[in-house]
Amino acid sequence: AQEIGYPVMLKAAAGGGGRGMRAVQDADEIQAAYARCQSEAEKAFGDGAVFVEKLIQRPRHIEVQVLADSAGHVIHLRERDCSIQQRHQKVVEIAPAPNLDESLRDKLLHDALTLATAAKYVNAGTVEFLLEPETGDYYFIECNPRIQVEHTITEQVMGVDLVASQFQIAAGSTLADLGLNQAITPRGYAIQARVVAQGIGTLTAYKEPSGIGIRVDAHGYAGYAPPPQFDPLLAKLICHLPTGSFAHAIAATRRAVADFHIAGLSTNLGQLHGILGHTLVRDGD
């Protein structure tokens, strides 16, 4: 890190999701960070190999949704901003990305299409980038060849059912058969907040928010005891404002979070309310 002049990130070669990742600022930290990263990688993936990459210290996490058919046609359905994370896990996602320079957006979308086309990719997928706001530089992270948790906000702003489209493409339909082309444009903003359990217990009460522009994808109910062996996600709260500003969309999402009632089990609803009220989030920074 000292020799190359910038901080680095140690990452497990075999996996992702935040496991086996350690930021290193100077050479004194290398040995301990390497040992811990290698240990986590070995336990999580059965492979202790580690590689080094440049650390982007204040990144925006921008991902581009693509759809491609077996005839070689590829379109993008714009981008999502997934920068609000905790321990490398996404917490709040936004579509489209606020305050993103249009020329930079065009480059990201173009590169995602170029990659998917060159790979002869078929079906729904996501091309992910880290963006350095101060310089406009961006870096490819990975492609996710699957539907993602945050596909909901793209569905809302683009008016495309990604899950249905995925099945239809797998069954042989082309994008033209589905009436899909690059002329689709986003309608307003959509924001998703992930509601997760933060302990073990049984739900004694469960009430989802409702109203115009509010969607909840969930599996919660009174009497439900989330199994601790699995992902703690309880619900995805999605708010869509077809018109209005990004600030209005944030405010609507915060009100919906306040209307979500879960008892008997600790959750992150309070934390989500605080995040959505933070000045940097409201400003799209």
Side-chain angles (χ1 to χ4, degrees), residues 158-257:
M158 303 303 289
V160 176
D161 188 328
L162 287 170
V163 175
S165 299
Q166 183 171 255
F167 280 118
Q168 290 166 317
I169 290 172
S173 295
T174 65
L175 295 176
D177 294 334
L178 303 180
L180 299 176
N181 56 56
Q182 202 55 81
I184 307 172
T185 55
R187 306 166 302 165
Y189 286 97
I191 300 171
Q192 175 174 280
R194 301 192 189 193
V195 180
V196 299
Q198 292 186 324
I200 299 174
T202 301
L203 302 186
T204 56
Y206 180 87
K207 180 181 178 295
E208 299 171 354
S210 61
I212 296 174
I214 294 178
R215 165 181 170 180
V216 183
D217 291 8
H219 184 65
Y221 54 88
Y224 176 55
Q229 301 92 336
F230 299 100
D231 192 295
L233 184 65
L234 285 174
K236 302 189 295 184
L237 170 61
I238 305 101
C239 292
H240 177 218
L241 263 67
T243 59
S245 67
F246 172 66
H248 289 149
I250 284 284
T253 308
R254 194 169 190 237
R255 288 194 298 270
V257 166

Side-chain angles (χ1 to χ4, degrees), residues 10 58 81 143 194 236 262:
L10 301 177
R58 188 182 176 274
D81 189 314
C143 288
R194 301 192 189 193
K236 302 189 295 184
I262 300 175

